[in-house]
Amino acid sequence: MSNIDSLVLSPLGGARLPEGGDVGPIQSGWRLAVREFASNRLAVLGSAILVFFLVFCFAGPLFYHGQTINTNLLATNLPPGAGHLLGTTSEGFDELALLMRGGQASLEVAFLAAAFGIVLGSIWGAVAGLVGGIVDSVMMRIVDVFLSIPILFVVLIIAVRYGPSVLSLGLIIGGYYWLVPARLVRGEVLTLRTRDFVSAARIAGVRPWRLIGRHLIPNAVGVMIVNVTFNVADAILLVAALGYLGFGLQYPTEDWGDMLSNGIGYMQDGYWWLVYPVGACIVLVVMACNLIGDALRDSFDVRLRRR
Amino acid sequence: MTAYLIRRVITSIVVLLGVSIVIFFLLHLIYPSPAQDVLGAKATNAAVNAWNKQNGFDRPWILQYLSYIGNALHGNLGYSYKLNQSVAALFGERWARSLYLSGMSLLLSVLLAIPLGIYQAVRRNSLSDNTMTTAAFILYAMPVFFLALILIQAFALSLHIFSYEASQSTSVWAVMADWHAMTLPIATLTLISVAGYSRYMRSSAMDALAQDYIKAARAKGLPERLVLFRHLVRNACLPMVTLIGLSIPVLLAGNLITEQVFNYQGLGLLFYNSLGNVDYDVLIAYTLIGATLVIVGNLVADIALTVADPRIRLA
């Protein structure tokens, strides 16, 4: 296999091949996947960034108190300083505290959308793949239809009519993010259903839903986790775009996109602290998710390869 | 081959029909009738009902859908009550500008991504590869409008090289000639796409490099330059065809945001303005056109790949 070369050559390759004559320790696929993941420096970096932002956004407000609800006209557009570590906005809100609150909204929407999408998508894909035939064709054409409609347009149209909340925005975006998982899980199920353990379970009289829940989904979980990480990254960008265009979450809930959009108005005045910190937050979190996703994909590949 | 093409085209038409039903139904659900927007907030119920009856908005939605599709097939995409112009005329004024912005960026990003990806694959894990990968990761994680903003700040406001606003000319030829105003919008979209494409190209080239025909080409003593140009490029570019077909939704979204940031009078900006005005017919028509582009893009990519790669010619 050509992959052998890349394994030997790769400096990141934690999965060292046994030397001639040696036999590597027998390990479960999961442990291999975890080891491969942990030996990937970029993946560890991505996880660290993501954990940092989760702590920063959700635990940060417990330690850092700043005004984000009531306007304070005596403290508008202050540069970063002692009282306000990242300065204040034109409403006198504390930028650092706002970053934490905005991050909560952005991350909540993104995780909600990805979670909703993966649940719906894996059920849809598993059913389509397991039943097959005309049901499969119809279900997959439905996926094709929704996948052809550019999501930004639809989300914008819905968001304009119904001012979105964290919950509704998460569900709307999640209502789109089930399509790719459905395709992926269907593909996995199509290969899994010919395997002996699935036949054995069927012969033993296992009901279809239990077959999906106990035998098919757990075996497709690698593909699903990888997809979730990429979806979280995409969703954060989408929420930011909505916020920037002015159709995102509304005050008093604010997300990073809104903040960036507000800050841009003061670009000419040189109020950099309203623009670059929040921009950096978006870039870092999205990048972290992408790094994790890439590494997970590689490590699950290793697991499959070594089976 | 022919049978596959016919099957593929028929599936696309079925999906397109499904898309039109979903979009129409969705919009109908959200905005049952534009009457209130046309007549104003103070219009009485009687006036609204009369207007609905007159314009056919009192019929069941499936009938409205059929007449909409009938009209659309004859080139009538509806009427913008806000701009007092037919949607077809509005699109006619603007499509060339959007096509120029998106097409130019797509072309540039592909032309940049292919050599970049191959270079990175050949020099994998070198300093230059790692630098480019880092840059690609950052760009890939960047919201389009944030990148546009940084470019504006650097090249328009600080250095005064380019304009912060796209060309406002009505003639697309004048727009094309105005590099001073068009460089930043095109650069924004290009950079965003190049990030994804070059990473894809890198892994595709790495797969190709590990193949036996490359080893054979090297073993027979072919200079490295010829190995890359004759044997690697064409094979490594194949997956790019599919990727470009699949990236049309991303291009459309990027186009919308870029046009909004640079105030470029294209279809994306028209859609954005129509959102605020609730300009029903424009919204539905552009969403439909976008979905059609996605479906056609996938179809063309599939066909192109089948033509280019004899291995996947399905009977």
Side-chain angles (χ1 to χ4, degrees), chain A residues 11 145 148 152-154 157 160-161 237 240-241 244-245 260 264 267 275-276 279 282-283 286-287 290-291 294, chain B residues 15 18-19 26-27 30-31 125 137-138 140-141 143 145-146 149 153 199 256 260-261 272 275 286 291 294-295:
Chain A
V145 164
S148 304
L152 182 67
F153 295 6
V154 173
I157 290 174
V160 169
R161 186 65 168 196
L237 283 180
Y244 168 73
L245 293 173
L260 202 43
I264 289 169
M267 205 61 181
V275 176
Y276 292 110
I282 298 177
V283 172
V286 174
M287 201 167 72
N290 284 332
L291 286 174
D294 269 10
Chain B
V15 170
V19 164
L26 184 77
L27 272 169
I30 300 176
Y31 305 115
N125 297 322
F137 258 112
I138 293 174
Y140 196 65
F145 58 93
F146 187 50
L149 192 76
Q153 180 67 40
R199 279 187 51 67
L256 195 163
Q260 200 270 348
V261 173
Y272 174 78
L275 282 170
Y286 191 47
V294 174
I295 293 170

Side-chain angles (χ1 to χ4, degrees), chain A residues 33 38 43 86 98 105 111 115 118 148 162 187 201 226 237-238 244 248 251 263 281 290:
Chain A
L86 266 180
L98 212 54
F111 280 107
I118 200 69
S148 304
Y162 313 101
V226 172
L237 283 180
L238 184 60
Y244 168 73
Y251 174 86
C281 285
N290 284 332

Side-chain angles (χ1 to χ4, degrees), chain B:
Chain B
M1 175 83 177
T2 323
Y4 168 72
L5 285 186
I6 293 173
R7 208 170 59 222
R8 192 68 187 72
V9 171
I10 290 177
T11 326
S12 297
I13 293 174
V14 170
V15 170
L16 189 56
L17 272 177
V19 164
S20 64
I21 292 175
V22 168
I23 293 176
F24 195 88
F25 181 69
L26 184 77
L27 272 169
H28 187 83
L29 210 65
I30 300 176
Y31 305 115
S33 153
Q36 204 80 50
D37 296 300
V38 176
L39 300 173
K42 286 183 181 169
T44 59
N45 277 344
V48 168
N49 287 340
W51 192 91
N52 280 343
K53 202 167 182 65
Q54 198 177 6
N55 292 281
F57 284 96
D58 59 338
R59 294 170 296 165
W61 78 270
I62 192 78
L63 285 180
Q64 292 187 37
Y65 167 77
L66 289 176
S67 69
Y68 181 89
I69 291 297
N71 284 335
L73 289 177
H74 289 94
N76 175 6
L77 291 170
Y79 189 79
S80 161
Y81 297 103
K82 293 290 173 184
L83 301 171
N84 274 327
Q85 235 178 325
S86 79
V87 174
L90 279 171
F91 284 1
E93 280 169 13
R94 291 158 178 255
W95 68 269
R97 268 173 272 176
S98 287
L99 181 68
Y100 172 62
L101 175 63
S102 298
M104 195 65 177
S105 322
L106 181 62
L107 186 70
L108 284 177
S109 50
V110 170
L111 288 182
L112 279 171
I114 290 176
L116 273 181
I118 292 177
Y119 176 82
Q120 283 185 270
V122 173
R123 297 272 164 83
R124 85 174 74 145
N125 297 322
S126 67
L127 182 66
S128 51
D129 174 32
N130 288 340
T131 316
M132 284 188 229
T133 301
T134 313
F137 258 112
I138 293 174
L139 278 177
Y140 196 65
M142 203 171 261
V144 181
F145 58 93
F146 187 50
L147 177 66
L149 192 76
I150 292 175
L151 291 180
I152 289 177
Q153 180 67 40
F155 294 102
L157 300 180
S158 299
L159 297 174
H160 301 289
I161 303 177
F162 302 118
S163 166
Y164 54 85
E165 193 179 44
S167 172
Q168 300 296 308
S169 170
T170 48
S171 141
V172 75
W173 303 111
V175 170
M176 285 185 188
D178 192 356
W179 61 268
H180 176 74
M182 291 309 293
T183 303
L184 285 187
I186 292 177
T188 306
L189 267 182
T190 306
L191 283 175
I192 290 282
S193 323
V194 137
Y197 290 168
S198 71
R199 279 187 51 67
Y200 200 78
M201 191 64 207
R202 175 179 181 270
S203 70
S204 160
M206 272 179 17
D207 284 350
L209 274 176
Q211 299 293 321
D212 288 342
Y213 57 78
I214 296 286
K215 285 192 189 115
R218 282 182 178 152
K220 73 181 179 190
L222 215 56
E224 189 67 14
R225 189 172 47 87
L226 287 183
V227 172
L228 294 184
F229 279 95
R230 285 228 185 111
H231 296 268
L232 181 73
V233 173
R234 298 206 305 190
N235 285 295
C237 286
L238 279 179
M240 286 290 282
V241 178
T242 318
L243 185 71
I244 293 169
L246 285 178
S247 63
I248 290 181
V250 183
L251 276 176
L252 284 168
N255 183 67
L256 195 163
I257 296 171
T258 312
E259 288 187 5
Q260 200 270 348
V261 173
F262 290 98
N263 191 31
Y264 184 57
Q265 301 292 330
L267 294 173
L269 189 61
L270 178 68
F271 182 86
Y272 174 78
N273 290 334
S274 306
L275 282 170
N277 300 336
V278 195
D279 209 338
Y280 183 85
D281 279 359
V282 176
L283 295 182
I284 191 168
Y286 191 47
T287 312
L288 260 178
I289 289 176
T292 311
L293 283 177
V294 174
I295 293 170
V296 172
N298 285 341
L299 181 66
V300 170
D302 270 11
I303 293 174
L305 201 60
T306 351
V307 172
D309 191 346
R311 286 169 304 182
I312 49 171
R313 254 171 228 168
L314 304 167

Side-chain angles (χ1 to χ4, degrees), chain A:
Chain A
M1 198 189 326
S2 60
N3 286 322
I4 301 285
D5 301 27
S6 57
L7 264 183
V8 174
L9 291 177
S10 164
L12 302 174
R16 262 168 252 102
L17 289 179
E19 310 232 332
D22 285 359
V23 176
I26 295 170
Q27 292 185 327
S28 80
W30 277 100
R31 282 181 61 184
L32 256 179
V34 169
R35 206 177 65 171
E36 177 77 7
F37 183 81
S39 67
N40 185 337
R41 274 174 300 167
L42 287 177
V44 175
L45 177 71
S47 316
I49 295 176
L50 192 62
V51 168
F52 168 78
F53 272 101
L54 286 174
V55 172
F56 170 76
C57 295
F58 290 95
L62 300 176
F63 302 100
Y64 184 84
H65 306 283
Q67 184 55 260
T68 60
I69 301 291
N70 300 316
T71 50
N72 178 2
L73 294 180
L74 295 174
T76 57
N77 296 325
L78 293 177
H84 305 279
L85 292 182
L86 266 180
T88 60
T89 70
S90 57
E91 291 94 7
F93 297 157
D94 186 279
E95 180 74 4
L96 184 60
L98 212 54
L99 264 186
M100 296 171 180
R101 281 219 5 232
Q104 283 180 15
S106 290
L107 289 170
E108 278 167 8
V109 171
F111 280 107
L112 183 64
F116 180 62
I118 200 69
V119 170
L120 187 57
S122 48
I123 294 174
W124 190 277
V127 169
L130 192 64
V131 177
I134 185 87
V135 177
D136 176 38
S137 301
V138 171
M139 286 175 90
M140 283 302 117
R141 287 302 84 73
I142 293 177
V143 169
D144 287 350
V145 164
F146 281 95
L147 214 45
S148 304
I149 306 174
I151 179 177
L152 182 67
F153 295 6
V154 173
V155 174
L156 277 172
I157 290 174
I158 298 177
V160 169
R161 186 65 168 196
Y162 313 101
S165 65
V166 167
L167 183 66
S168 67
L169 204 53
L171 291 183
I172 293 171
I173 299 176
Y176 185 86
Y177 282 174
W178 62 274
L179 301 163
V180 175
R183 271 190 183 172
L184 294 173
V185 171
R186 170 180 172 269
E188 287 284 297
V189 167
L190 282 184
T191 60
L192 283 174
R193 73 173 190 179
T194 59
R195 300 268 287 272
D196 290 341
F197 70 91
V198 176
S199 311
R202 274 188 162 164
I203 293 165
V206 172
R207 296 249 171 86
W209 283 110
R210 191 173 159 80
L211 191 66
I212 290 176
R214 286 297 294 270
H215 298 281
L216 296 177
I217 300 263
N219 277 291
V221 100
V223 177
M224 288 158 60
I225 294 178
V226 172
N227 185 261
V228 164
T229 38
F230 288 134
N231 275 350
V232 169
D234 277 1
I236 289 174
L237 283 180
L238 184 60
V239 175
L242 280 181
Y244 168 73
L245 293 173
F247 300 113
L249 300 168
Q250 304 297 323
Y251 174 86
T253 319
E254 206 158 354
D255 70 81
W256 285 340
D258 295 328
M259 294 175 60
L260 202 43
S261 162
N262 292 339
I264 289 169
Y266 296 95
M267 205 61 181
Q268 288 275 45
D269 302 311
Y271 301 157
W272 56 268
W273 59 91
L274 298 182
V275 176
Y276 292 110
V278 62
C281 285
I282 298 177
V283 172
L284 280 174
V285 172
V286 174
M287 201 167 72
C289 293
N290 284 332
L291 286 174
I292 296 172
D294 269 10
L296 280 174
R297 188 174 49 200
D298 293 351
S299 57
F300 280 115
D301 267 1
V302 169
R303 183 167 78 101
L304 296 176
R305 206 156 60 212
R306 289 295 198 81
R307 243 182 210 158

